[in-house]
Amino acid sequence: MKRILALLMLFTLLLGMAASAVAEEEAITYTGTITGGSLHLRKEPSPSGKVVDTYKSGTKVDILENDGTWCHVQVGTKTGYMMTQYLDIQPNYTHLGWGKTPGDGTVLNVRASASADAKVVYKAMSSGVFELVAEAGDWYKVRVGEGFGYLPKTGITLLEGDYLPAITATDNDELSPEALRRGPREVGSATTVTREGEDFSYAITYPSLGAGFAWISGEISAWAQNTLRVFQEDHQQNHPGEQATYTVEYESVSLDGDYYSVLLLGRYQVGSLHADTALALNFDGEGNPVSLEQAVEESQLPRVLFCLESAVSALMPAPACGYDGKPGSAWLQTAALGKEGVEVILPEGAYLPAALGSRRLTLGYGQVAECLALQSDYIASRRRVIDPAKPMIALTFDDGPSEETDRILKTLTQYGGRATFCVIGNKIETYGDVIKRTIAQGSEIACHTWSHPHFDRISSSAVKPQIQKVVDAVRELTGGYEIKVLRPPYGTVTAAVRSACRDLDLVIAKWQVDTEDWTYRNANRTYNAVIKGAKNGYIVLCHDIYTTTADAMERAIPELVSRGYQLVTVSELLSFHKDGVEAGKIYIKLDPENIKTE
Ligand code: ZN
């Protein structure tokens, strides 16, 4: 079992490096051969573009650029455009074979040229397999992503033969721009390569995405070769004679043709043991690679990680299993854009306890679309948009977090709502995870002081620390969340409170509707108080420490939504104030005449 886990870790590293590694110095160039009859060279990339010249089938042209529909090409001294579908496009390098770096843990530097002083363009992990394209003295020229680099010959073991036929791109009609403008959908046609061996068989299914995406076929091919080889070696060395299989399946999704993702999921099975591996390739409509780590707005990364952590904590209700890993951006290395959201693949044993196996977590677009810096109509359509011309209401929950908070968050998520949770500082240590889930859900954390004093019964010098300690603790817990709102206990505000809020840049939010859920603790009564009191722009006071309040919300939240209310946070509501808001000032609602609707 240990051996299998070691392989997995290796793959995680290999996969992580593959997508981002591009040698800047020398990129792969392509030659196109005209197929199926003569072809016009046009001045513009359009079927009505002026014809510069016409060439016979079999003529070779240099590809300068390829957008998937048109290639900008050079033929002799002439340049112009030819339709991609009539060109057989091949990379301009020779395939010498495959070489493997040492398996002893050494990391080799891949350099920009055949010299030990040249710039390092890539770090080759232990047991990495590279495609060799040329020899240069004591160096091999190797393929690295869309470019090339150089590895010293010493230490490279030549591997015999090719395990797989080369995976190449083919034409694919379903990738027409019209066909793609239909939201998220599966794209590409499947090809399966199989081999039935005496004791080792494989079936590798991969998508063909069209000639415009040649590098993706190259990445898939290299990955399939790498993984197959490692598993075949493991089989030979550790399980000779036992029946073993390696299967690869895939999903490929296009989001409106703006972005594509290909997710390959491999499983090596020998006896009762297995190892899983995965490759995620994300790219834009022009075929340029997009890493999901880069696709997340930097300021939004903590929120995406909270979403991930929330999803992980749902898998593991008992922290007693000894797991203390925290999601980091590395977890997004094997993530792809799926139909429902960002699909994160966590290979067995790589991040989570091995007992949980390989896991696939979906972060719904409803939660994470606004964290993604992707120019896509589809993603934009899934971002939260508040229309200030429609009614808004800000539910607020004081005195938590508590055991009841998660249920309210769940109801909010179910109906696309958000709320403001006004937390007491001395509960943060116990309920830190709840606070993180609240932020991940999109709701707001406000300050309800450290220990809930009456502000008019403590010394004025004690006021600011009561507030600041909470702001600091939440910032530290979350790695940077900034509280913007104070909810004063009992609604008591003194000059010292206003002054502290001005210093700390907080607005003071009281309420227009008091549900009195804390007095009656009756779900029906709380429900009625919310529904009867609801009006556009109102702030509503509840407490997320009563089962009866969480019960009431399971009815009140859908009812408010069905009446056309947008459930917003206090900060969201006040962001529509036509005069802006002022730190230290008290707000109990936002009157419709003060709402800026443009
Ligand atoms: Zn309170």
Side-chain angles (χ1 to χ4, degrees), residues 398-399 422 424 448 452 487-490 541 543:
D398 285 12
D399 297 354
C422 311
I424 297 178
H448 196 40
H452 211 272
R487 162 63 53 80
Y490 316 101
L541 170 66
H543 297 79

Side-chain angles (χ1 to χ4, degrees), residues 382-436:
R382 300 302 303 268
R383 286 187 186 127
R384 176 174 167 84
V385 178
I386 304 164
D387 181 355
K390 293 182 183 157
M392 297 179 275
I393 198 157
L395 297 174
T396 63
F397 298 92
D398 285 12
D399 297 354
S402 83
E403 307 296 334
E404 304 297 330
T405 311
D406 274 320
R407 192 147 62 97
I408 298 172
L409 288 173
K410 208 173 145 194
T411 311
L412 285 165
T413 302
Q414 202 178 340
Y415 295 95
R418 294 185 183 173
T420 302
F421 292 81
C422 311
V423 303
I424 297 178
N426 60 27
K427 295 188 178 184
I428 294 172
E429 203 182 327
T430 312
Y431 292 105
D433 287 348
V434 179
I435 290 181
K436 290 181 179 183

